[in-house]
Amino acid sequence: MSSPTDLTAPVAPSAGELPDGAEPFGLGSSAPRSDALPKALGIYPYAADLWAEGLLWGAVLRSPHPYARIVSIDTSAALALPGVHAVITAADLPPGPEGTPEVAPDGRGSADRPVLASGVVRHHGEPIAAVAADHPDTARLAAASIVVEYEPLEPVTDPEQSFNVPPLHPDGNLFRHLPLRAGDPEAVGEVIVEGLYQVGRQDPAPIGAEAGLAVPRPDGGVELHLSSTDPHGDRDRTAASLGLDPDRVRLVVTGVPGATADREDRSFQVTLALLALRTGRPVKMTLTREESFQTHTSRHPALLRYRHHADAEGRLVKVEAQILLDGGAYAEVSAEALAAAAAFSVGPYVCPNVFVDAWAVRTNNPPAGRMRGEGALQTCFAYESQLDQLAVQLGIDPVEVRRRNALATGDPMPTGQAVTCPAPVAVLLDAVSTAPLPPLPLDDPDSEWLLPGGPGGAGDPAAVRRGIGYAVGMVHMLGAEGEDEVSTATVRVSGDHATVICAAVDSGQGFATLARQIVQSVLGVSEVYIAPADSDQASAGPSARGRHTWVSGGAVERAALMVRHQLLQPIAANFGMSVELLTIADGKITSYDGVLGMPVTEALEGKELWATAQCRPHPTEPLDEAGQGDAFVSIAFCAMRAVVDVDIELGAVRVVEMTVAQDVGRALNPRQIEDRIEAGVAQGVGLALLEDLRTEGGRLVNPSLTGYRLPTALDTPEVRIAALIEDRDVVATFGAKAVSAVPAVVAPAAVAAAVRAATGLPVGRLPILPEDATVG
């Protein structure tokens, strides 16, 4: 049998291997992803595919209650089953900082979430015990045979109730309160519009459910094979929970089957590792789809109250808002999401007076966490809805009211931070508003499928109304409020090929392809191999907020430039010139005067060069008690136009087209940028019309891919890229900005605006239900 370590990730082919022989090369080209073909063929290895000699299977017992006191746990029946090798509960974990196994140090968000529930369960599906057995069916049967006596408690499921009920956790019910105060509280506009908005619980719903393999090590440590997006953070959290030194836990990253949010949580990792340590054998665990919905975090549901003041010309005078995020049972990254929600509560617009109160609270709902554009998406829906309402009240075109208030470089945000990066908001608006509109559906049987509801599902075609809506949004890149962002990379060159060693996980955003292009551009080497990521490498941090393009890409570039200097320095000395007078382009080293022209492969012959470098962007600071401070490194912007057809009798909505203009800084790989925009749009359309992880009394009612509706190919609209604005951010690596999150932030607001335009109805919640789009 092969060892688990041999099954981590496929060997990447050289950059630019295309069936027709074409070879896109370096930054600015549309180099294809090296993992695209194996994924399309179904041969790309994921954690669920791993195997090891002597393998045991893990299973978890989860709470059927959203809130209950644990009176007793009896594991004797499980232990008596033939084939069961271990049963663990919270009592088997080392004590945490408070003397109980309740908590352990956690570098991501707060550490208030136990690995296994002890004393109290606080959400439906919370893990209580785990089993290792020699067959997956035996493991599941053993987990089901564990007898737990509960004392059910009344769950708190309404976040507004959290302020007035006894604490659900020793840390209390308030994760964070963030007031934002800017300008004159007495300012009043000539026109005032108000609104109440709700955003539901969107789940990342990764195609591949959580899975992993743990292998005990001879030194008493453990090796974990997981589709982690933060290998060093996950290693450190696992080690702390197990009472081990970090160097006794190794985390090897397997293929990541979808990750628009955090993946395997600490409970999964620690439980898997502890079962392997207890049994002394490899243990594999693969969650069911229902368990997957129960265990990973989802988007924060939100309740938002807004009041906009404007003058007679539609220019904003004051914005007042109350923002409430439901963080669920545990803190996770609720404080971070709240900072984004409050700071971006006005959107990409100038307003001299802003007064916001934002809260993130604990409930007995499923935990909420990181997901594309956390915090920014919820407020985008609200402030864009407000601007639509303002445009109607003043009789101004919705694009024009946005243009009159558009943020530009140098303008202050409500936090007092000046926007120093490119902020082409007006340019983006112009691009989407002037793009050609799609044709109206033809009135013939062949185009019946174009109507809302599809063939046989549409009502009277005369009841279909077309709507056009606009939205603009923004997201921050990298960590915020003083978070230290750093990544490390090593570049080795030997002969005619290079290797990049960097623990930045390619979770679908295309970092591996980008790293290959960087080395190609700097060193002129076409054969570039990206080493699989694991925690033995230097840390690169989590895959979130577009940070790997900037921070890890910057580390790769710096390491490659150091190798470049090592390569060119002796050549320059030979010719009596400085290194700066030599260039590398198209695989050739050339001097400024044309005297030297040497292939890079010739210069590298017999040499082995390497360098390690770090990239750390400029520091930020926490927001103060008035919500003021330079909290963000940089910001990305996007504008969209949505075109929808609505059957106003049935409330059925079809998104016809989404037109996108995006601020990308520099297009490092145009094809990948387009792919990421299309993916973000699809996710945003899903929230706008379909996706809602529903609960009743704190219990999940649709934890399956049948009950939780994801957009299919027929639900996903045509995406037109009207413009990719390449106005480089001078402080960013290559001048580029992150592209994945901001389309997902803006798309729901644009679709809502279009439905509002088609129906004349207010549309104040996401997802938009049929009754929200039915007239009469």
Side-chain angles (χ1 to χ4, degrees):
M1 290 285 183
S2 298
S3 70
T5 308
D6 296 329
L7 298 173
T8 52
V11 175
S14 61
E17 282 190 357
L18 295 173
D20 61 4
E23 295 187 358
F25 188 94
L27 294 173
S29 70
S30 291
R33 296 176 57 99
S34 61
D35 59 358
L37 183 59
K39 285 182 176 177
L41 294 174
I43 59 175
Y44 192 84
Y46 296 105
D49 303 315
L50 299 182
W51 189 267
E53 194 70 41
L55 184 70
L56 299 177
W57 296 83
V60 176
L61 174 70
R62 301 179 183 278
S63 170
H65 303 286
Y67 191 31
R69 188 170 288 111
I70 297 175
V71 178
S72 64
I73 303 176
D74 183 358
T75 63
S76 57
L79 286 166
L81 283 174
V84 172
H85 291 257
V87 178
I88 60 171
T89 66
D92 297 293
L93 288 162
E98 297 180 0
T100 73
E102 276 283 305
V103 294
D106 192 341
R108 182 186 66 216
S110 176
D112 65 343
R113 188 175 185 176
V115 172
L116 295 169
S118 172
V120 178
V121 291
R122 297 185 177 91
H123 71 90
H124 179 224
E126 183 163 8
I128 296 171
V131 175
D134 55 14
H135 192 279
D137 290 343
T138 305
R140 285 191 286 267
L141 180 61
S145 68
I146 297 171
V147 178
V148 181
E149 183 182 349
Y150 299 96
E151 180 187 327
L153 303 171
E154 185 63 30
V156 176
T157 58
D158 182 349
E160 292 188 286
Q161 293 178 356
S162 294
F163 297 100
N164 306 312
V165 297
L168 303 174
H169 188 281
D171 292 348
N173 294 347
L174 181 64
F175 295 135
R176 186 177 189 181
H177 171 223
L178 181 57
L180 193 157
R181 307 285 185 262
D184 179 9
E186 304 301 322
V188 177
E190 296 173 67
V191 179
I192 299 174
V193 294
E194 299 185 41
L196 175 64
Y197 306 98
Q198 291 178 284
V199 178
R201 181 178 289 103
Q202 185 181 29
D203 194 271
I207 296 302
E210 290 78 356
L213 173 68
V215 183
R217 302 195 330 188
D219 64 357
V222 65
E223 182 169 291
L224 287 164
H225 297 255
L226 299 165
S227 54
S228 168
T229 57
D230 182 11
H232 290 84
D234 288 340
R235 176 203 64 184
D236 293 347
R237 288 183 283 271
T238 299
S241 298
L242 294 172
L244 297 175
D245 292 333
D247 61 4
R248 292 175 65 190
V249 177
R250 181 177 183 236
L251 196 150
V252 179
V253 180
T254 65
V256 180
T260 58
D262 291 324
R263 279 195 58 91
E264 283 74 357
D265 69 349
R266 181 164 55 95
S267 174
F268 182 93
Q269 299 158 6
V270 177
T271 300
L272 188 61
L274 185 56
L275 286 172
L277 291 172
R278 277 298 174 91
T279 61
R281 291 170 61 176
V283 178
K284 178 177 177 179
M285 188 152 55
T286 302
L287 299 189
T288 65
R289 182 57 62 178
E290 181 176 1
E291 287 180 304
S292 178
F293 275 105
Q294 290 174 338
T295 191
H296 62 232
T297 57
S298 52
R299 191 179 299 283
H300 288 78
L303 183 65
L304 310 101
R305 294 182 175 89
Y306 266 76
R307 180 184 295 128
H308 276 55
H309 298 246
D311 63 20
E313 300 300 316
R315 292 181 175 83
L316 295 178
V317 173
K318 184 169 72 172
V319 172
E320 301 169 283
Q322 293 179 331
I323 300 166
L324 180 59
L325 300 185
D326 179 358
Y330 297 109
E332 295 291 333
V333 296
S334 288
E336 298 175 30
L338 194 75
F344 301 150
S345 55
V346 177
Y349 305 110
V350 177
C351 183
N353 308 294
V354 180
F355 295 86
V356 175
D357 276 289
W359 300 269
V361 297
R362 190 188 310 273
T363 64
N364 293 120
N365 291 321
R370 183 172 287 129
M371 192 171 172
R372 276 181 182 159
E374 61 269 12
L377 180 148
Q378 291 89 331
T379 52
C380 181
F381 170 57
Y383 61 68
E384 288 299 273
S385 298
Q386 286 285 102
L387 286 188
D388 279 347
Q389 192 180 162
L390 182 63
V392 170
Q393 189 151 330
L394 290 171
I396 300 174
D397 180 81
V399 173
E400 181 59 28
V401 77
R402 289 168 170 82
R403 189 182 289 112
R404 292 178 187 180
N405 292 287
L407 193 73
T409 303
D411 286 334
M413 293 168 54
T415 59
Q417 178 174 351
V419 178
T420 56
C421 65
V425 177
V427 175
L428 297 174
L429 272 167
D430 289 342
V432 295
S433 62
T434 57
L437 286 164
L440 292 167
L442 300 177
D443 188 18
D444 65 61
D446 293 336
S447 63
E448 185 184 13
W449 66 274
L450 291 172
L451 295 173
D460 183 357
V464 175
R465 301 287 184 271
R466 173 153 290 188
I468 301 170
Y470 297 88
V472 192
M474 59 200 293
V475 297
H476 71 93
M477 294 179 289
L478 313 184
E481 293 195 276
E483 185 173 341
D484 184 27
E485 289 284 12
V486 63
S487 181
T488 306
T490 297
V491 174
R492 296 181 182 273
V493 180
S494 179
D496 62 351
H497 66 277
T499 299
V500 176
I501 303 171
C502 183
V505 177
D506 191 335
S507 58
Q509 83 279 39
F511 174 75
T513 305
L514 174 63
R516 186 174 297 110
Q517 291 179 270
I518 293 169
V519 174
Q520 289 173 342
S521 291
V522 174
L523 296 176
V525 179
S526 61
E527 299 280 345
V528 183
Y529 170 65
I530 310 300
D534 66 57
S535 61
D536 284 350
Q537 301 164 2
S539 176
S543 298
R545 301 179 299 269
R547 59 182 306 284
H548 280 324
T549 297
W550 186 319
V551 186
S552 297
V556 171
E557 181 198 31
R558 292 179 185 188
L561 287 170
M562 293 166 69
V563 171
R564 181 182 184 275
H565 186 85
Q566 295 173 30
L567 173 65
L568 297 183
Q569 198 277 330
I571 298 173
N574 246 1
F575 283 83
M577 62 179 68
S578 68
V579 170
E580 289 72 26
L581 298 179
L582 299 177
T583 59
I584 297 179
D586 300 322
K588 181 181 285 190
I589 301 171
T590 309
S591 63
Y592 77 101
D593 55 7
V595 172
L596 173 65
M598 177 190 298
V600 171
T601 52
E602 180 182 329
L604 284 170
E605 191 172 343
K607 293 186 174 70
E608 183 164 340
L609 308 174
W610 68 274
T612 298
Q614 286 190 332
C615 179
R616 177 180 269 115
H618 65 80
T620 57
E621 62 186 20
L623 296 172
D624 64 19
E625 64 278 358
Q628 301 298 296
D630 290 350
F632 307 107
V633 177
S634 189
I635 301 168
F637 303 88
C638 176
M640 282 193 196
R641 180 186 68 195
V643 178
V644 304
D645 286 339
V646 182
D647 186 321
I648 61 172
E649 292 180 348
L650 301 178
V653 178
R654 174 178 174 262
V655 182
V656 178
E657 182 184 87
M658 300 292 286
T659 302
V660 183
Q662 189 157 325
D663 155 45
V664 300
R666 178 186 173 189
L668 302 178
N669 186 316
R671 176 59 185 271
Q672 280 201 166
I673 287 177
E674 292 177 8
D675 291 346
R676 304 318 297 156
I677 289 174
E678 290 176 1
V681 168
Q683 190 170 45
V685 169
L687 174 59
L689 298 176
L690 299 169
E691 298 184 49
D692 189 13
L693 190 60
R694 294 178 288 110
T695 60
E696 290 180 3
R699 291 179 173 85
L700 291 174
V701 298
N702 59 334
S704 70
L705 292 183
T706 302
Y708 184 82
R709 298 184 301 158
L710 289 168
T712 67
L714 291 179
D715 299 305
T716 304
E718 184 74 23
V719 178
R720 179 199 299 266
I721 308 294
L724 298 177
I725 305 301
E726 296 193 62
D727 190 355
R728 298 189 184 186
D729 186 345
V730 295
V731 301
T733 300
F734 317 113
K737 294 188 176 185
V739 298
S740 296
V742 68
V745 165
V746 179
V751 171
V755 173
R756 202 177 287 123
T759 63
L761 298 173
V763 186
R765 65 179 173 184
L766 297 176
I768 302 166
L769 303 177
E771 53 263 39
D772 301 326
T774 304
V775 179

